[in-house]
Amino acid sequence: MERAVFDRMAELDQHHWWFIARRRILDNLIRRVVRPPQDARILEVGCGTGHNIPMLKAFGSVEASELDHSARTLANARHPGTVKEAKLPDLSMFERNAYDLIALLDVLEHVPDDLASLRAIHRRLKPGGALLLSVPANPWMWSAHDAAHHHFRRYTRAQLADLFLRAGLEVQLLSYFNSLLFPLIAAARAVGKMTRRESADDQLPSRPVNGALKRVFGAEAGLIGRVPLPFGVSLVAVVRRPA
């Protein structure tokens, strides 16, 4: 991603509704669906500024990787000695057959060879270990935001399911999320395209709006995997290396 994007992420990742609510949702999925063993060994691939690491540490010991130098420097300042340099699909610096949980959170869309990357992750998981993954959904929602973040693609549910099958990973959960706000976000993207006023910047809304969006998005923590969500801005999955 562009340096300005990581700088903006570092400013927002503790306050913006999307980051806070997404961590709540992912934490709930780990507790309810992944259910890692006590003191699990965890790897986050593409950790960015390291904002997910404290959430992951509640479940065990965490190692991480990040390709971007500036983001990796910030993540290591926050979590000294935790984050290594790695460029998917090369994970040779991490032990094979070693991890109970690997997190790949809004990373796969940045990688040219997504299948090779999933196969490399498969080799690092313990038999029965889980990959927690999120990606942006709906190719038709492509916008200036995707371009600024250097995305290669947005995924359909069917595309993601096929990738997991080809990588030898078994799907435990595959769902849309950021569904309650989907009509609002989809409408905003459509208007931006029609008026040619798309924004690539993530702005922090006013406190009341930020709080309301956080509550609405965060409410999905209790829905995903329990209630069918047939559409959403993103996709989330829990998949496993066969035991």
Side-chain angles (χ1 to χ4, degrees):
M1 291 192 287
E2 297 173 9
R3 172 66 185 273
V5 172
F6 278 120
D7 290 345
R8 193 71 176 144
M9 184 187 296
E11 293 175 9
L12 297 177
D13 62 23
Q14 301 304 311
H15 308 289
H16 194 282
W17 63 271
W18 185 85
F19 289 100
I20 295 171
R22 189 182 72 146
R23 285 194 292 267
R24 177 183 173 190
I25 290 167
L26 297 173
D27 177 273
N28 185 278
L29 285 174
I30 295 171
R31 295 179 187 279
R32 181 164 52 87
V33 181
V34 177
R35 302 178 68 181
Q38 189 173 8
D39 299 322
R41 189 172 177 187
I42 300 167
L43 172 64
E44 183 178 9
V45 178
C47 71
T49 56
H51 55 90
N52 292 313
I53 291 175
M55 180 270 291
L56 294 171
K57 281 186 173 179
F59 302 97
S61 62
V62 178
E63 302 165 58
S65 74
E66 173 54 47
L67 176 61
D68 182 85
H69 174 76
S70 299
R72 188 171 66 253
T73 299
L74 177 56
N76 270 320
R78 289 173 163 179
H79 313 286
T82 300
V83 185
K84 298 179 181 179
E85 181 179 2
K87 182 179 181 180
L88 284 168
D90 180 14
L91 293 176
S92 58
M93 66 292 299
F94 295 107
E95 187 179 352
R96 291 191 177 206
N97 309 311
Y99 296 95
D100 300 290
L101 169 63
I102 295 179
L104 190 71
L105 305 173
D106 289 271
V107 173
L108 196 63
E109 65 274 15
H110 296 274
V111 182
D113 195 337
D114 49 3
L115 178 57
S117 298
L118 289 176
R119 285 172 171 164
I121 286 170
H122 179 289
R123 291 190 289 270
R124 268 80 202 164
L125 286 169
K126 293 179 179 177
L131 167 64
L132 174 65
L133 174 145
S134 61
V135 292
N138 310 312
W140 62 266
M141 291 187 75
W142 185 272
S143 70
H145 182 273
D146 294 287
H149 284 69
H150 292 185
H151 292 174
F152 283 91
R153 66 195 76 81
R154 301 179 70 95
Y155 289 90
T156 67
R157 183 170 177 164
Q159 286 171 335
L160 204 55
D162 180 65
L163 272 176
F164 293 143
L165 178 65
R166 293 164 65 195
L169 294 161
E170 296 179 345
V171 176
Q172 182 176 358
L173 178 147
L174 175 55
S175 173
Y176 287 100
F177 78 128
N178 205 350
S179 300
L180 299 178
L181 293 171
F182 175 78
L184 179 65
I185 295 170
R189 294 277 174 95
V191 170
K193 288 182 179 181
M194 286 188 295
T195 61
R196 298 183 180 180
R197 293 182 178 178
E198 293 182 278
S199 174
D201 196 11
D202 296 306
Q203 301 288 338
L204 184 66
S206 66
R207 182 175 293 183
V209 172
N210 196 59
L213 293 172
K214 179 175 66 177
R215 287 191 294 274
V216 173
F217 186 20
E220 295 185 17
L223 300 178
I224 297 170
R226 290 173 169 153
V227 176
L229 298 175
F231 52 79
V233 181
S234 300
L235 287 155
V236 66
V238 176
V239 296
R240 294 188 183 271
R241 176 178 172 178

